Amino acid sequence: MITLAAAPSGALAEPSPAKIRAKLVKLNEQADQLVERYNQANEAYKSAKKKYEKLNTELSRKDAQAGELREELATIASNSYQAGPFGSWPAFALQGNPQTALSSMASLEQLAQDRAVKILAYETATKDLRDRRAEAKQVLAEADDARDKVRDEKTKVDKLVKEQTKLLRRLGTFRTGDPNSPGIEYTGPASGNARRALQFAFAQVGKPYRYGGTGPGSYDCSGLTQAAWRTGGVELPRTTWTQWSWGASRRVPLDALQPGDLLFSKGLGHMGMYAGNGKMVHAPQTGDVIKVVDLDDYWRNRLLGAVRP
């Protein structure tokens, strides 16, 4: 008699490749949104930090100015004390030369005027200094809040990336990419600035996607378009959302695309560049590399719109 061993009660069947792929698609969509939120938070932090550092430099300069005025006031006060209050009338009365006495009185009046001017300048400088310190304190608090948001979003993205990586490895489709990839040559129909931008983007083909990446060894989707168009002479904002907003007056219909146009997915979680001949170059998602793809039905159904830099 043969006895069959029972399977452990806690054992679960391995999900099918189709189910793993379906889950991966959902994770990729979530990751697109999370990465853009991370990029937005990171840009907010960098902007707030830069503003604080600029204010801090200005504070140092104003502090030095107030210090100089303080020393000048001390000197004027010392001179006034040595000359005596109210012009030292007894000393003037004993002077034999009226002209000398008048000159002394004029000097004391000038000393009093100088002191009044310096006091006013000092009060103005210190008030401005207090105001700037309060402003810097507020800006620093904003920078700290932005930094906390960056950390929160990064934690969420890191968790999602680990899950994506795990699923891709189970499917055997995880691609590490080559940070030193020489890319491929662009031979499409673009010209001028758009051609330079596309030549740069094609030269990055084969490099890994990395969220928050701005090169040179890895990029995320908006990091690639920003770097490419910088080469083409146009300074784009950092994130997909801000690039879409930046292009509000530069929108073009999807049926009138030209090489170099920026392509945006619905939900603004992803973007790429139109390369001409029905193709797009983009940095896809975790576990993939910068590549050129056909704008087939899948991509066309995902697109929200296009912007021409």
Side-chain angles (χ1 to χ4, degrees):
M1 179 177 175
I2 299 175
T3 303
L4 297 177
S9 58
L12 296 175
E14 178 73 13
S16 68
K19 288 185 177 180
I20 294 176
R21 290 191 185 92
K23 184 175 181 180
L24 189 58
V25 168
K26 291 183 179 180
L27 287 180
N28 288 341
E29 290 175 353
Q30 292 176 33
D32 284 345
Q33 297 297 325
L34 276 177
V35 166
E36 282 309 303
R37 277 164 43 190
Y38 164 77
N39 284 339
Q40 289 285 95
N42 198 34
E43 289 303 300
Y45 169 64
K46 288 193 291 187
S47 176
K49 184 181 178 185
K50 184 177 180 181
K51 185 177 179 182
Y52 171 71
E53 289 173 349
K54 182 179 179 181
L55 272 174
N56 227 15
T57 300
E58 188 177 349
L59 277 175
S60 298
R61 181 174 59 82
K62 288 188 178 295
D63 201 24
Q65 289 176 345
E68 291 173 1
L69 288 170
R70 195 182 301 112
E71 291 180 3
E72 290 177 12
L73 273 175
T75 300
I76 290 174
S78 175
N79 292 340
S80 177
Y81 174 78
Q82 291 173 5
F86 308 110
S88 293
W89 285 105
F92 293 158
L94 295 176
Q95 292 187 27
N97 189 333
Q99 186 61 42
T100 300
L102 288 173
S103 296
S104 299
M105 289 173 63
S107 296
L108 284 173
E109 287 178 2
Q110 184 62 46
L111 189 66
Q113 290 176 6
D114 286 348
R115 181 169 59 183
V117 169
K118 294 298 181 185
I119 288 174
L120 179 60
Y122 177 71
E123 289 176 347
T124 300
T126 52
K127 180 182 182 303
D128 193 31
L129 189 60
R130 288 193 300 271
D131 292 343
R132 284 305 201 185
R133 278 179 178 155
E135 185 179 351
K137 185 177 180 180
Q138 176 62 31
V139 169
L140 182 59
E142 291 172 0
D144 286 340
D145 287 344
R147 182 180 56 191
D148 290 342
K149 288 180 181 177
V150 171
R151 288 172 178 165
D152 290 344
E153 297 300 337
K154 187 176 187 302
T155 298
K156 295 173 186 175
V157 177
D158 284 342
K159 182 178 179 181
L160 199 57
V161 165
K162 287 181 180 178
E163 195 170 355
Q164 286 175 299
T165 301
K166 181 180 177 181
L167 291 178
L168 286 166
R169 292 194 185 281
R170 286 169 70 178
L171 289 171
T173 57
F174 185 87
R175 301 178 66 185
T176 57
D178 178 5
N180 299 309
S181 171
I184 59 177
E185 182 183 0
Y186 176 72
T187 58
S191 61
N193 291 345
R195 186 171 189 84
R196 285 191 288 274
L198 282 163
Q199 285 173 333
F200 178 91
F202 272 56
Q204 314 312 309
V205 168
K207 291 184 178 180
Y209 169 93
R210 181 178 64 80
Y211 80 86
T214 56
S218 60
Y219 295 87
D220 63 16
C221 62
S222 54
L224 177 64
T225 55
Q226 183 190 49
W229 265 105
R230 182 180 293 128
T231 303
V234 177
E235 190 62 43
L236 297 175
R238 169 62 184 93
T239 71
T240 298
W241 294 343
T242 52
Q243 288 186 31
W244 175 254
S245 297
W246 173 87
S249 62
R250 299 174 173 85
R251 307 273 165 79
V252 293
L254 291 174
D255 59 0
L257 293 175
Q258 291 182 10
D261 288 349
L262 305 175
L263 300 173
F264 296 83
S265 70
K266 295 173 182 176
L268 296 177
H270 189 65
M271 67 181 301
M273 283 178 63
Y274 184 59
N277 299 324
K279 296 184 181 297
M280 174 178 72
V281 58
H282 71 140
Q285 65 265 326
T286 294
D288 209 341
V289 299
I290 296 170
K291 60 172 64 171
V292 180
V293 297
D294 290 325
L295 277 179
D296 52 17
D297 290 340
Y298 170 75
W299 275 110
R300 289 190 182 278
N301 290 333
R302 292 189 70 193
L303 294 179
L304 169 67
V307 166
R308 183 163 299 155

